Each structure stands twice: as C-alpha cells, then as structure tokens.
Amino acid sequence: QVQLVESGGGLVQPGGSLRLSCSSSKIIFRPYTMGWYRQAPGKQRDLVATITSRGSTNYGNPVKGRFTISRDNTKNTVYLQMNNLKPEDTAVYYCRANYVSEYWGQGTQVTVSS
C-alpha cells in the first residue's frame, strides 16, 4: 500500500528545471520531517534535501544552490524545485516522511540529457 506519492519527474535538458511534488492521503505531514532522496542505477540512495516541521532545511552538497525544498501543510504537499539541472542529477527521486514512523514513496524518474 503506497503511503507517499511523488509526481513531476520527466525528461529535461541540462540547465532546465523541474518541480517534484509529494503528497499523501494516508498521513498528515505537519509534524513530520520531510525529505527527498535519489538513487541512480547501481548507486546508493543519497540525501537530496530535508525540511523539518518548523521549516529548517538541509541539502546534500551536490544540489546546494540549485535545489529548494519547501512544504505547504495546507495542501499536505512537499516540493522540490530543481533548477540548473545537470546530467549527474539523473536518478529516481524518493519522498520520505519521518516522525515516529517512517514512510517512503515509490519514486519518480528524473532524466537530464541533451
């Protein structure tokens, strides 16, 4: 049973932008730390960004200055704005919710290619 649902992935050229969204009909995000992680084929799953319930953010070094995580508790949605995309950003992007329990989405594919 899917707990979190990601959307917004797709194919984009280097230098382009995408916005990913994560939402849930099963859990209420408000108290959770939310995060985005990514995994390329044959690679480990790496931190992209997190945002706490109070809005404090943290980013993995490869995306600092290019990606922005945000949340809208009214819409029960978390976003990842990705700008100036690079081929090395190509991966499946996963949404995570963490409070007392931990939940993961199924992922959405982001491909950056010319």
Side-chain angles (χ1 to χ4, degrees):
Q1 191 171 30
V2 177
Q3 306 299 319
L4 309 176
V5 179
E6 303 97 335
S7 63
L11 175 64
V12 65
Q13 294 184 340
S17 298
L18 285 173
R19 188 179 74 161
L20 307 183
S21 299
C22 173
S23 62
S24 177
S25 63
K26 298 177 177 64
I27 64 171
I28 304 301
F29 289 172
R30 191 195 60 79
Y32 286 78
T33 293
M34 304 297 298
W36 289 96
Y37 296 75
R38 67 187 185 185
Q39 187 168 24
K43 305 294 184 180
Q44 67 180 13
R45 187 173 297 187
D46 292 331
L47 169 71
V48 176
T50 62
I51 183 167
T52 70
S53 62
R54 301 186 68 168
S56 179
T57 58
N58 182 58
Y59 296 91
N61 285 330
V63 309
K64 287 181 179 177
R66 299 189 296 121
F67 291 10
T68 303
I69 188 171
S70 62
R71 64 193 299 160
D72 186 337
N73 289 336
T74 300
K75 298 180 179 179
N76 207 47
T77 301
V78 176
Y79 305 97
L80 183 69
Q81 179 66 48
M82 305 184 294
N83 297 327
N84 192 25
L85 283 160
K86 303 175 180 180
E88 51 262 45
D89 296 319
T90 296
V92 177
Y93 284 70
Y94 298 91
C95 182
R96 176 183 182 254
N98 182 226
Y99 181 49
V100 176
S101 301
E102 181 183 54
Y103 302 93
W104 289 90
Q106 293 289 301
T108 185
Q109 177 72 49
V110 172
T111 302
V112 185
S113 177
S114 59

